[in-house]
Amino acid sequence: MYILPRICSRHLRQLLGKSFFRYASTSSQDVPHVCIVGSGPAGFYTAQQILKGHPAARVDILEKLPVPFGLVRFGVAPDHPEVKNVIHTFTTTARNQRCTFIGNVEVGKDISIEDLQKAYTAVVLAYGADDDRTLAIKGEDSPNVISARSFVGWFNGLPQDKDLPVDLDVENVVILGQGNVALDVARILLTPISILQKTDISQHALDALSRSRVKKVYIVGRRGPLQVAFTIKELREMTKLPDCRPVIHKEDVENLDKVIKDLPRPRRRLTELLYKTCMEPSDTDTHLWSQASKEWELRFRLSPIEINEREGKVTGVKLAVNQLQGDDLINKKAVATSETEHIDCGLVFRSIGYKSIPIDPILPFDTRKGIIPNIKGRVKEKPGLYCSGWVSTGPVGVILNTMTGGFETGKIVLKDLEDGIITSEGKRGNEMIKEILESKGKQMVTFSDWDKIDEEEIKRGSVFGKPREKIADISEMLRVAKS
């Protein structure tokens, strides 16, 4: 017979963690109910941390669309399926017995923040950045001047963008902005249809792209090659596009080799690739590029001042030539000169950044920065309210940054629970909000309902030889969910 050794409570606390005894004795009335608004990466990573860090906490994830995963589903380019692998992790979180997904619920419209605060111990706002920064120039509202965000939503099957009026019966395109989204747009416009048709790109976009006459894409930035916002992975993909050549002007990069060694590593590697693509291309690349029928061109130190049109059609962009000022190699400021330049084109994409929007009058909101004012995820002067992801930081970083931020917000919620700053007394969680939603006749979508949509999309995709064909109509999503 084995005799278990006696362990004093102090040693037991050390073994199990200081929070164990507080949480282990949690009564059913004191179970923390946490609501997360938004089912993108920020929402799921925050949920993951809370579920992991508290053995009794219950987490509800509210989503305005009937389908989960946010930007992973609707923002990642279809030719980047590896980035979408995080969906497997999110699915594991959603299937946790203490996690509930509630789709087709728009906070601020179907239910208020005040309602959520009455029902939940903590409310975490993680609804991302749904609006664009604008240029505020003449001609910006012309037909075929399009938000890059909306275009990405269009080819990814986002319901609000499925009917986006995109005229691809043009040869030249200008993309204003030099971030990863700008390169995503350029790549989708220039990638052979034979490659795209094997992805989960929406069929309406694939059909339109198959008729496209686009031959050249200008990717325009207001600063120089040392200030581009895209990353090396995306640039390398652009240099390897089949039947497409890069155009980088020698005068823009010829002196970069003198400063490369002084740059931080990620910027150094990116700058090396820019330099070598222009100044030292391989014989293989040179041969392939000479035979290409399409091309993309990087243009630097240009700021748009007017979009020209004639008879309701875009004809080009007028740009100011900039000078860069400042002693720092990377953090230079672009200052417009009196010199101007014109690029002929029939389609313009605005890709200069996103911003979040206020979803409820009760929320404090910084309209200039497009974020909810917060201190390390705690919404200012609103105990029990938290924020995570782009709505708290602005649209910066990649999924890894969002993961780190989500984990940190989750830890802050757990700490406030442990310190008694927020309490669970009288909180009934989704039991309470479901009563409100049902009284309004709102159809709620569960994660099991999402499984039905998922299965139907995969089935539809198989007809075209694709991984899936996304349902882009909300009423149709709801019909499948209810089936």
Side-chain angles (χ1 to χ4, degrees):
M1 183 172 90
Y2 291 100
I3 306 290
L4 289 174
R6 294 179 65 185
I7 303 177
C8 73
S9 62
R10 180 172 62 85
H11 289 148
L12 195 57
R13 285 178 184 273
Q14 290 173 346
L15 285 170
L16 299 179
K18 66 179 182 178
S19 301
F20 179 81
F21 285 90
R22 175 188 292 272
Y23 295 153
S25 61
T26 301
S27 68
S28 59
Q29 289 88 358
D30 292 330
V31 169
H33 291 275
V34 179
C35 175
I36 296 175
V37 180
S39 68
F44 267 105
Y45 283 127
T46 304
Q48 185 179 328
Q49 184 65 44
I50 292 169
L51 292 166
K52 175 186 174 184
H54 195 300
R58 305 191 71 86
V59 176
D60 295 340
I61 301 175
L62 271 56
E63 168 60 51
K64 72 176 180 179
L65 290 171
V67 293
F69 309 133
L71 273 184
V72 178
R73 176 178 166 95
F74 294 117
V76 174
D79 58 342
H80 284 173
E82 72 286 350
V83 180
K84 302 181 186 184
N85 287 337
V86 293
I87 284 176
H88 301 309
T89 302
F90 298 164
T91 298
T92 300
T93 299
R95 295 199 196 286
N96 186 308
Q97 290 184 339
R98 293 183 287 118
C99 185
T100 302
F101 172 80
I102 307 174
N104 196 40
V105 175
E106 186 171 354
V107 175
K109 180 181 177 183
D110 300 321
I111 197 159
S112 69
I113 295 289
E114 190 174 4
D115 290 330
L116 296 181
Q117 287 195 286
K118 288 176 183 176
Y120 290 95
T121 313
V123 177
V124 182
L125 303 159
Y127 60 84
D130 280 343
D131 203 3
D132 296 297
R133 298 198 178 279
T134 56
L135 298 164
I137 60 173
K138 183 180 178 182
E140 186 173 8
D141 296 327
S142 302
N144 241 26
V145 179
I146 295 171
S147 150
R149 177 189 59 81
S150 297
F151 186 69
V152 172
W154 175 74
F155 63 64
N156 272 329
L158 182 62
Q160 69 189 46
D161 294 320
K162 64 184 175 65
D163 298 319
L164 189 73
V166 185
D167 180 5
L168 297 174
D169 189 24
V170 301
E171 290 196 359
N172 291 355
V173 177
V174 168
I175 302 174
L176 300 169
Q178 291 184 333
N180 281 342
V181 175
L183 263 58
D184 282 347
V185 170
R187 198 177 63 255
I188 294 299
L189 288 170
L190 296 169
T191 295
I193 293 298
S194 59
I195 294 175
L196 290 178
Q197 65 188 9
K198 296 174 185 176
T199 73
D200 68 354
I201 190 170
S202 292
Q203 195 63 34
H204 62 254
L206 189 64
D207 291 342
L209 287 163
S210 67
R211 300 188 296 270
S212 169
R213 289 199 307 115
V214 173
K215 296 292 184 185
K216 175 151 189 171
V217 177
Y218 295 89
I219 305 166
V220 180
R222 60 189 177 86
R223 296 192 291 171
L226 290 175
Q227 289 81 39
V228 294
F230 53 72
T231 53
I232 188 170
K233 176 180 180 291
E234 280 69 24
L235 177 62
R236 187 177 290 114
E237 284 180 317
M238 291 296 292
T239 66
K240 301 300 180 185
L241 270 179
D243 193 33
C244 193
R245 66 178 155 267
V247 177
I248 302 173
H249 295 283
K250 182 178 178 181
E251 59 268 26
D252 287 326
V253 299
E254 61 185 343
N255 294 317
L256 291 182
D257 58 326
K258 298 179 177 62
V259 301
I260 285 174
K261 67 180 187 308
D262 300 320
L263 300 172
R265 186 172 182 273
R267 177 66 63 176
R268 182 170 69 246
R269 293 176 62 238
L270 171 62
T271 306
E272 282 175 347
L273 181 57
L274 274 170
Y275 179 82
K276 289 180 178 179
T277 299
C278 177
M279 306 295 289
E280 301 171 2
S282 68
D283 292 340
T284 301
D285 284 341
T286 301
H287 175 69
L288 290 173
W289 294 341
S290 68
Q291 299 178 324
S293 65
K294 299 178 182 180
E295 67 181 29
W296 57 272
E297 181 175 332
L298 285 177
R299 297 300 312 275
F300 299 105
R301 294 179 290 276
L302 295 172
S303 292
I305 52 180
E306 184 179 344
I307 295 170
N308 305 124
E309 63 170 300
R310 185 171 58 249
E311 297 177 357
K313 291 192 175 183
V314 170
T315 59
V317 183
K318 182 180 180 182
L319 306 114
V321 177
N322 296 330
Q323 286 184 343
L324 299 187
Q325 296 181 356
D327 297 328
D328 191 302
L329 269 177
I330 297 173
N331 298 312
K332 289 186 179 292
K333 183 180 179 182
V335 178
T337 67
S338 58
E339 186 182 352
T340 62
E341 190 171 321
H342 189 274
I343 300 178
D344 293 330
C345 66
L347 173 60
V348 177
F349 288 100
R350 178 184 62 238
S351 187
I352 58 170
Y354 305 158
K355 61 181 179 180
S356 298
I357 57 174
I359 59 171
D360 192 299
I362 198 175
L363 282 179
F365 199 80
D366 186 327
T367 53
R368 185 180 65 83
K369 294 181 179 178
I371 62 170
I372 297 171
N374 68 96
I375 301 173
K376 295 183 177 179
R378 296 182 180 94
V379 177
K380 288 184 178 180
E381 299 177 3
K382 294 286 182 180
L385 266 183
Y386 304 82
C387 53
S388 181
W390 285 1
V391 77
S392 67
T393 63
V396 293
V398 293
I399 287 179
L400 179 61
N401 305 93
T402 304
M403 179 182 72
T404 303
F407 287 169
E408 287 304 313
T409 300
K411 289 175 183 175
I412 286 166
V413 173
L414 292 170
K415 185 177 189 311
D416 286 357
L417 275 169
E418 186 177 340
D419 293 345
I421 293 172
I422 52 177
T423 63
S424 303
E425 187 178 351
K427 308 295 185 179
R428 292 161 47 209
N430 65 46
E431 176 188 335
M432 192 169 173
I433 67 159
K434 283 179 179 178
E435 290 173 0
I436 296 172
L437 294 167
E438 285 169 358
S439 71
K440 295 181 177 181
K442 189 70 182 176
Q443 180 183 342
M444 290 167 275
V445 176
T446 66
F447 206 76
S448 295
D449 294 333
W450 151 246
D451 286 337
K452 296 177 190 176
I453 298 171
D454 184 33
E455 184 179 343
E456 177 64 19
E457 289 184 343
I458 293 170
K459 180 181 175 183
R460 294 184 185 191
S462 66
V463 174
F464 300 100
K466 298 161 60 178
R468 74 172 59 238
E469 175 59 28
K470 293 175 190 167
I471 300 172
D473 183 82
I474 289 178
S475 61
E476 193 174 358
M477 289 179 184
L478 294 176
R479 180 184 59 77
V480 174
K482 203 172 183 178
S483 63

